[in-house]
Coordinates of all heavy atoms in Angstrom, one line a residue:
M278 N 11.4 -12.6 -45.9 CA 10.3 -12.4 -45.0 C 10.8 -12.4 -43.5 O 11.5 -13.3 -43.1 CB 9.3 -13.6 -45.1 CG 8.0 -13.4 -44.3 SD 6.8 -14.6 -44.8 CE 6.4 -15.3 -43.3
I279 N 10.4 -11.4 -42.8 CA 10.8 -11.3 -41.4 C 9.9 -12.1 -40.5 O 8.7 -11.9 -40.6 CB 10.9 -9.8 -41.0 CG1 11.9 -9.0 -41.8 CG2 11.2 -9.7 -39.5 CD1 11.8 -7.6 -41.6
P280 N 10.4 -12.9 -39.7 CA 9.5 -13.7 -38.8 C 8.8 -12.8 -37.8 O 9.3 -11.8 -37.4 CB 10.5 -14.7 -38.0 CG 11.8 -14.4 -38.5 CD 11.8 -13.3 -39.5
H281 N 7.6 -13.2 -37.4 CA 6.8 -12.5 -36.5 C 7.6 -12.4 -35.1 O 8.1 -13.5 -34.7 CB 5.5 -13.1 -36.3 CG 4.5 -12.3 -35.5 ND1 4.5 -12.3 -34.1 CD2 3.5 -11.5 -35.9 CE1 3.6 -11.5 -33.7 NE2 2.9 -11.0 -34.7
P282 N 7.7 -11.3 -34.4 CA 8.5 -11.2 -33.2 C 8.1 -12.1 -32.1 O 8.8 -12.3 -31.1 CB 8.4 -9.7 -32.9 CG 7.2 -9.2 -33.5 CD 7.0 -10.0 -34.8
L283 N 6.8 -12.6 -32.1 CA 6.3 -13.4 -31.0 C 6.2 -14.9 -31.4 O 5.5 -15.6 -30.7 CB 5.0 -12.9 -30.5 CG 4.9 -11.4 -30.1 CD1 3.6 -11.0 -29.6 CD2 5.9 -11.2 -28.9
H284 N 7.0 -15.3 -32.4 CA 7.0 -16.7 -32.8 C 8.3 -17.3 -32.5 O 9.4 -16.7 -32.6 CB 6.7 -16.8 -34.3 CG 5.4 -16.5 -34.8 ND1 4.9 -16.5 -36.1 CD2 4.3 -16.1 -34.0 CE1 3.7 -16.2 -36.1 NE2 3.2 -15.9 -34.9
V285 N 8.3 -18.5 -32.1 CA 9.5 -19.4 -31.9 C 9.3 -20.6 -32.8 O 8.3 -21.2 -32.8 CB 9.6 -19.8 -30.4 CG1 10.7 -20.7 -30.2 CG2 9.7 -18.6 -29.5
T286 N 10.4 -20.9 -33.5 CA 10.4 -22.1 -34.3 C 11.3 -23.1 -33.7 O 12.5 -22.8 -33.4 CB 10.9 -21.8 -35.7 OG1 10.0 -20.8 -36.3 CG2 10.8 -23.0 -36.6
V287 N 10.9 -24.4 -33.5 CA 11.6 -25.4 -32.8 C 11.9 -26.5 -33.9 O 11.1 -26.9 -34.7 CB 10.8 -26.1 -31.7 CG1 11.5 -27.3 -31.1 CG2 10.5 -25.0 -30.6
K288 N 13.2 -26.9 -33.9 CA 13.6 -28.0 -34.8 C 14.0 -29.2 -33.9 O 14.9 -29.2 -33.1 CB 14.8 -27.6 -35.6 CG 15.2 -28.6 -36.6 CD 16.4 -28.1 -37.5 CE 16.8 -29.2 -38.5 NZ 17.8 -28.7 -39.4
F289 N 13.2 -30.3 -34.1 CA 13.5 -31.5 -33.4 C 14.6 -32.4 -34.1 O 14.5 -32.5 -35.3 CB 12.2 -32.4 -33.2 CG 11.2 -31.8 -32.3 CD1 10.2 -31.0 -32.8 CD2 11.3 -31.9 -30.9 CE1 9.2 -30.5 -32.0 CE2 10.4 -31.4 -30.1 CZ 9.3 -30.6 -30.6
G290 N 15.5 -32.9 -33.3 CA 16.5 -33.8 -33.9 C 15.8 -35.2 -34.2 O 14.7 -35.5 -33.6
D291 N 16.5 -36.0 -34.9 CA 16.0 -37.3 -35.3 C 15.7 -38.2 -34.1 O 14.9 -39.1 -34.2 CB 16.9 -38.0 -36.3 CG 16.9 -37.3 -37.7 OD1 16.0 -36.6 -38.0 OD2 17.9 -37.4 -38.4
G292 N 16.4 -38.0 -33.0 CA 16.3 -38.8 -31.9 C 15.1 -38.6 -31.0 O 14.8 -39.3 -30.1
I293 N 14.3 -37.5 -31.3 CA 13.1 -37.2 -30.5 C 12.0 -37.8 -31.3 O 11.6 -37.4 -32.4 CB 12.9 -35.6 -30.4 CG1 14.2 -34.9 -29.8 CG2 11.7 -35.4 -29.6 CD1 14.5 -35.4 -28.5
P294 N 11.3 -38.8 -30.7 CA 10.2 -39.5 -31.3 C 9.0 -38.5 -31.7 O 8.6 -37.7 -30.9 CB 9.7 -40.5 -30.3 CG 10.9 -40.7 -29.4 CD 11.6 -39.4 -29.3
T295 N 8.5 -38.7 -32.9 CA 7.4 -37.8 -33.4 C 6.2 -37.7 -32.5 O 5.7 -36.7 -32.4 CB 7.0 -38.4 -34.8 OG1 8.2 -38.4 -35.7 CG2 5.9 -37.5 -35.4
P296 N 5.8 -38.8 -31.8 CA 4.6 -38.7 -31.0 C 4.7 -37.7 -29.8 O 3.7 -37.3 -29.3 CB 4.4 -40.1 -30.4 CG 5.1 -41.0 -31.4 CD 6.2 -40.2 -32.0
F297 N 5.9 -37.3 -29.5 CA 6.2 -36.4 -28.4 C 6.3 -34.9 -28.9 O 6.3 -34.0 -28.0 CB 7.4 -36.8 -27.6 CG 7.4 -38.1 -27.1 CD1 8.1 -39.2 -27.6 CD2 6.5 -38.4 -26.0 CE1 8.0 -40.5 -27.1 CE2 6.4 -39.7 -25.5 CZ 7.2 -40.7 -26.0
H298 N 6.4 -34.7 -30.1 CA 6.5 -33.3 -30.6 C 5.4 -32.3 -30.2 O 5.7 -31.2 -29.7 CB 6.7 -33.3 -32.2 CG 7.9 -33.9 -32.7 ND1 8.2 -34.0 -34.0 CD2 8.9 -34.6 -32.1 CE1 9.4 -34.6 -34.2 NE2 9.8 -35.0 -33.0
G299 N 4.2 -32.7 -30.4 CA 3.1 -31.9 -30.1 C 3.0 -31.5 -28.7 O 2.8 -30.3 -28.3
K300 N 3.2 -32.4 -27.8 CA 3.1 -32.1 -26.3 C 4.3 -31.2 -25.9 O 4.1 -30.3 -25.1 CB 3.2 -33.4 -25.5 CG 3.3 -33.3 -24.0 CD 1.9 -33.2 -23.4 CE 2.0 -33.3 -21.9 NZ 2.1 -32.0 -21.2
A301 N 5.5 -31.5 -26.5 CA 6.6 -30.6 -26.2 C 6.4 -29.2 -26.7 O 6.7 -28.3 -25.9 CB 7.9 -31.3 -26.8
L302 N 5.9 -29.1 -27.8 CA 5.6 -27.7 -28.4 C 4.6 -27.0 -27.5 O 4.8 -25.8 -27.2 CB 5.1 -27.8 -29.8 CG 6.2 -28.3 -30.9 CD1 5.4 -28.6 -32.2 CD2 7.2 -27.2 -31.1
F303 N 3.6 -27.7 -27.1 CA 2.5 -27.0 -26.3 C 3.1 -26.6 -25.0 O 2.9 -25.5 -24.5 CB 1.4 -28.0 -26.1 CG 0.2 -27.5 -25.3 CD1 -0.6 -26.5 -25.8 CD2 0.0 -27.9 -24.0 CE1 -1.6 -26.0 -25.0 CE2 -1.0 -27.4 -23.2 CZ -1.8 -26.4 -23.7
D304 N 3.8 -27.5 -24.3 CA 4.4 -27.2 -23.0 C 5.4 -26.1 -23.1 O 5.4 -25.2 -22.2 CB 5.1 -28.5 -22.4 CG 4.1 -29.6 -22.0 OD1 2.9 -29.3 -21.9 OD2 4.6 -30.7 -21.7
F305 N 6.2 -26.0 -24.1 CA 7.1 -24.9 -24.3 C 6.4 -23.6 -24.5 O 6.8 -22.6 -23.9 CB 8.1 -25.2 -25.5 CG 9.1 -24.2 -25.7 CD1 9.9 -23.7 -24.7 CD2 9.3 -23.6 -27.0 CE1 10.9 -22.7 -24.9 CE2 10.3 -22.7 -27.2 CZ 11.0 -22.2 -26.2
E306 N 5.3 -23.6 -25.3 CA 4.6 -22.4 -25.5 C 4.0 -21.9 -24.2 O 4.1 -20.7 -23.9 CB 3.5 -22.6 -26.5 CG 2.7 -21.4 -26.9 CD 1.8 -21.6 -28.0 OE1 2.3 -21.9 -29.2 OE2 0.6 -21.5 -27.8
I307 N 3.4 -22.8 -23.4 CA 2.8 -22.4 -22.1 C 3.9 -21.8 -21.2 O 3.8 -20.8 -20.5 CB 2.1 -23.6 -21.4 CG1 0.9 -24.0 -22.3 CG2 1.7 -23.2 -20.0 CD1 -0.1 -23.0 -22.5
A308 N 5.1 -22.5 -21.1 CA 6.2 -22.0 -20.2 C 6.7 -20.7 -20.7 O 6.9 -19.8 -19.9 CB 7.3 -23.1 -20.2
L309 N 6.8 -20.5 -22.0 CA 7.3 -19.2 -22.6 C 6.4 -18.1 -22.3 O 6.8 -17.0 -21.9 CB 7.5 -19.4 -24.1 CG 8.1 -18.2 -24.8 CD1 9.5 -17.9 -24.3 CD2 8.2 -18.5 -26.3
R310 N 5.1 -18.3 -22.3 CA 4.1 -17.3 -22.1 C 4.1 -16.9 -20.6 O 4.1 -15.7 -20.2 CB 2.7 -17.8 -22.4 CG 2.5 -17.8 -23.9 CD 1.1 -18.3 -24.3 NE 0.9 -18.3 -25.7 CZ -0.3 -18.5 -26.3 NH1 -1.4 -18.6 -25.6 NH2 -0.4 -18.5 -27.6
K311 N 4.3 -17.9 -19.7 CA 4.4 -17.6 -18.3 C 5.6 -16.8 -17.9 O 5.6 -15.9 -17.1 CB 4.3 -18.9 -17.5 CG 3.0 -19.5 -17.4 CD 3.0 -20.8 -16.6 CE 1.6 -21.5 -16.5 NZ 1.6 -22.8 -15.8
L312 N 6.7 -17.2 -18.5 CA 8.0 -16.5 -18.2 C 8.1 -15.1 -18.7 O 8.6 -14.2 -18.1 CB 9.2 -17.3 -18.8 CG 9.5 -18.7 -18.1 CD1 10.5 -19.5 -19.0 CD2 10.1 -18.4 -16.8
T313 N 7.5 -14.9 -19.9 CA 7.7 -13.6 -20.6 C 6.5 -12.7 -20.4 O 6.6 -11.5 -20.6 CB 8.0 -13.7 -22.1 OG1 6.8 -14.3 -22.7 CG2 9.2 -14.6 -22.4
G314 N 5.3 -13.2 -20.2 CA 4.1 -12.4 -20.1 C 3.6 -12.0 -21.5 O 2.7 -11.2 -21.5
V315 N 4.1 -12.5 -22.5 CA 3.6 -12.2 -23.9 C 3.0 -13.4 -24.5 O 3.3 -14.6 -24.2 CB 4.8 -11.6 -24.8 CG1 5.4 -10.4 -24.2 CG2 5.8 -12.7 -25.1
R316 N 2.1 -13.1 -25.5 CA 1.4 -14.2 -26.1 C 2.2 -14.8 -27.3 O 1.9 -14.7 -28.5 CB 0.1 -13.7 -26.7 CG -0.9 -14.8 -27.1 CD -2.3 -14.3 -27.3 NE -3.1 -15.3 -27.9 CZ -3.7 -16.3 -27.3 NH1 -3.4 -16.5 -26.0 NH2 -4.4 -17.2 -27.9
A317 N 3.3 -15.4 -26.9 CA 4.2 -16.0 -27.9 C 3.6 -17.3 -28.5 O 2.8 -18.0 -27.8 CB 5.6 -16.4 -27.3
E318 N 4.0 -17.7 -29.7 CA 3.5 -18.9 -30.3 C 4.7 -19.7 -30.7 O 5.7 -19.2 -31.2 CB 2.6 -18.5 -31.5 CG 1.4 -17.8 -31.2 CD 0.5 -17.5 -32.4 OE1 1.0 -17.7 -33.6 OE2 -0.6 -17.0 -32.3
V319 N 4.6 -21.0 -30.5 CA 5.7 -21.9 -30.8 C 5.2 -22.8 -32.0 O 4.2 -23.4 -32.0 CB 6.0 -22.8 -29.6 CG1 7.1 -23.8 -29.9 CG2 6.5 -21.9 -28.4
F320 N 6.1 -22.9 -33.0 CA 5.8 -23.8 -34.1 C 7.0 -24.8 -34.4 O 8.1 -24.5 -33.9 CB 5.7 -22.9 -35.4 CG 4.6 -22.0 -35.4 CD1 4.7 -20.7 -34.9 CD2 3.3 -22.4 -35.8 CE1 3.7 -19.8 -34.8 CE2 2.2 -21.5 -35.7 CZ 2.4 -20.2 -35.2
M321 N 6.7 -25.8 -35.1 CA 7.7 -26.8 -35.4 C 8.3 -26.4 -36.8 O 7.5 -26.2 -37.7 CB 7.1 -28.2 -35.5 CG 8.2 -29.3 -35.7 SD 7.6 -30.9 -35.4 CE 6.7 -31.2 -37.0
D322 N 9.6 -26.5 -36.9 CA 10.3 -26.3 -38.2 C 9.9 -27.4 -39.1 O 10.1 -28.6 -38.7 CB 11.8 -26.2 -38.0 CG 12.6 -25.8 -39.2 OD1 12.1 -25.1 -40.0 OD2 13.7 -26.3 -39.4
Q323 N 9.5 -27.1 -40.3 CA 9.2 -28.1 -41.3 C 10.4 -28.6 -42.0 O 11.2 -27.8 -42.4 CB 8.2 -27.6 -42.3 CG 6.8 -27.2 -41.7 CD 6.1 -28.3 -41.0 OE1 6.0 -29.4 -41.5 NE2 5.6 -28.0 -39.8
K324 N 10.6 -29.9 -42.1 CA 11.7 -30.5 -42.7 C 11.7 -30.1 -44.2 O 10.7 -30.1 -44.8 CB 11.7 -32.0 -42.6 CG 12.1 -32.4 -41.1 CD 12.3 -33.9 -41.1 CE 12.6 -34.3 -39.7 NZ 12.9 -35.8 -39.6
G325 N 12.9 -29.9 -44.7 CA 13.0 -29.6 -46.1 C 13.1 -30.8 -46.9 O 12.6 -31.9 -46.5
D326 N 13.9 -30.8 -48.0 CA 14.0 -31.9 -48.9 C 14.8 -33.0 -48.2 O 15.9 -32.8 -47.7 CB 14.8 -31.5 -50.1 CG 14.9 -32.6 -51.2 OD1 14.5 -33.7 -50.9 OD2 15.4 -32.2 -52.2
D327 N 14.3 -34.2 -48.1 CA 14.9 -35.3 -47.4 C 15.8 -36.1 -48.3 O 16.4 -37.1 -47.9 CB 13.9 -36.3 -46.8 CG 13.2 -35.6 -45.6 OD1 13.8 -34.8 -44.9 OD2 12.1 -36.1 -45.3
S328 N 16.0 -35.7 -49.5 CA 16.8 -36.4 -50.5 C 18.3 -36.5 -50.0 O 18.9 -35.4 -49.7 CB 16.8 -35.8 -51.9 OG 17.8 -36.3 -52.7
K329 N 18.8 -37.7 -49.8 CA 20.2 -37.8 -49.3 C 21.2 -37.2 -50.3 O 22.2 -36.6 -49.9 CB 20.5 -39.3 -49.0 CG 19.7 -39.8 -47.8 CD 20.1 -41.2 -47.5 CE 19.2 -41.7 -46.4 NZ 19.7 -41.9 -45.2
L330 N 20.9 -37.3 -51.6 CA 21.8 -36.8 -52.6 C 21.8 -35.3 -52.5 O 22.9 -34.7 -52.4 CB 21.3 -37.2 -54.0 CG 22.2 -36.7 -55.2 CD1 23.6 -37.2 -55.0 CD2 21.6 -37.1 -56.5
R331 N 20.7 -34.6 -52.4 CA 20.7 -33.2 -52.3 C 21.3 -32.7 -51.0 O 22.0 -31.7 -50.9 CB 19.2 -32.7 -52.4 CG 18.7 -32.8 -53.8 CD 17.2 -32.3 -53.8 NE 17.1 -30.8 -53.6 CZ 17.1 -29.9 -54.5 NH1 17.4 -30.2 -55.8 NH2 17.0 -28.7 -54.2
S332 N 21.1 -33.4 -49.9 CA 21.6 -33.0 -48.6 C 23.1 -33.1 -48.6 O 23.8 -32.4 -47.8 CB 21.0 -33.7 -47.5 OG 21.3 -35.1 -47.5
A333 N 23.7 -34.0 -49.4 CA 25.2 -34.1 -49.5 C 25.8 -33.1 -50.4 O 27.0 -32.9 -50.3 CB 25.5 -35.5 -50.0
M334 N 25.0 -32.4 -51.2 CA 25.6 -31.3 -52.1 C 25.9 -30.0 -51.3 O 25.3 -29.8 -50.3 CB 24.5 -31.0 -53.1 CG 24.2 -32.1 -54.1 SD 22.9 -31.5 -55.2 CE 22.9 -32.8 -56.4
T335 N 26.8 -29.3 -51.9 CA 27.1 -27.9 -51.3 C 25.9 -27.0 -51.8 O 25.1 -27.3 -52.7 CB 28.4 -27.4 -51.8 OG1 28.3 -27.2 -53.3 CG2 29.5 -28.3 -51.5
K336 N 25.9 -25.8 -51.2 CA 24.9 -24.9 -51.6 C 25.0 -24.5 -53.1 O 24.0 -24.3 -53.8 CB 24.9 -23.6 -50.7 CG 24.5 -23.8 -49.3 CD 24.6 -22.5 -48.6 CE 24.1 -22.7 -47.1 NZ 24.2 -21.5 -46.3
E337 N 26.2 -24.4 -53.5 CA 26.5 -24.0 -54.9 C 26.0 -25.1 -55.9 O 25.4 -24.8 -56.9 CB 28.0 -23.8 -55.1 CG 28.5 -22.5 -54.4 CD 28.8 -22.8 -52.9 OE1 28.9 -23.9 -52.5 OE2 28.9 -21.8 -52.2
Q338 N 26.2 -26.4 -55.5 CA 25.7 -27.5 -56.3 C 24.2 -27.5 -56.4 O 23.6 -27.7 -57.4 CB 26.3 -28.8 -55.8 CG 27.7 -29.0 -56.0 CD 28.3 -30.2 -55.3 OE1 27.8 -30.5 -54.2 NE2 29.2 -30.9 -55.9
R339 N 23.5 -27.3 -55.3 CA 22.1 -27.2 -55.3 C 21.5 -26.1 -56.1 O 20.5 -26.2 -56.8 CB 21.6 -27.2 -53.8 CG 21.7 -28.5 -53.1 CD 20.9 -28.5 -51.8 NE 21.3 -27.5 -50.9 CZ 22.2 -27.6 -49.9 NH1 22.9 -28.8 -49.8 NH2 22.5 -26.6 -49.1
A340 N 22.2 -24.9 -56.0 CA 21.8 -23.8 -56.8 C 21.8 -24.0 -58.3 O 21.0 -23.4 -59.0 CB 22.6 -22.5 -56.4
K341 N 22.7 -24.9 -58.7 CA 22.8 -25.1 -60.2 C 21.7 -26.0 -60.7 O 21.6 -26.1 -61.9 CB 24.2 -25.7 -60.5 CG 25.3 -24.8 -60.3 CD 26.7 -25.5 -60.6 CE 27.8 -24.5 -60.4 NZ 29.1 -25.2 -60.6
L342 N 21.0 -26.7 -59.9 CA 19.9 -27.6 -60.3 C 18.8 -26.9 -60.9 O 18.4 -25.8 -60.7 CB 19.4 -28.5 -59.1 CG 20.5 -29.4 -58.6 CD1 19.8 -30.1 -57.4 CD2 20.9 -30.4 -59.6

C-alpha cells in the first residue's frame, strides 16, 4: 500500500512521555501546514509486537513462525 502523499507518520522514542504525544503531533501538523501550504496530516506510528523474544529474532526467524 502506497502512503497518501500528504501524510506524515511520526515514531516517538521510549524517552518521550505518552502524555505529550498528542500535543506534539498537533503542533507538528499545524507547523507543517503553515510551512508547506498544503493540508498535510500527521499520524503516530503504531507500535508493533512488543514481545521481547520476537524483537530479538532476525526477520528470517520471525518469517518461519
Side-chain angles (χ1 to χ4, degrees):
M278 184 169 129
I279 298 173
H281 190 281
L283 301 179
H284 288 181
V285 175
T286 304
V287 176
K288 182 176 182 180
F289 289 98
D291 292 336
I293 307 297
T295 302
F297 300 107
H298 293 184
K300 175 90 168 92
L302 291 168
F303 180 74
D304 289 349
F305 181 48
E306 185 171 294
I307 296 300
L309 186 60
R310 289 179 179 193
K311 285 180 182 177
L312 289 169
T313 64
V315 299
R316 192 166 170 78
E318 296 180 351
V319 177
F320 297 93
M321 186 170 80
D322 185 33
Q323 298 300 315
K324 289 187 178 184
D326 186 356
D327 287 335
S328 167
K329 292 183 187 251
L330 180 59
R331 288 179 67 88
S332 64
M334 293 178 172
T335 66
K336 288 181 182 180
E337 293 79 19
Q338 289 171 321
R339 284 192 302 271
K341 290 179 183 178
L342 294 177

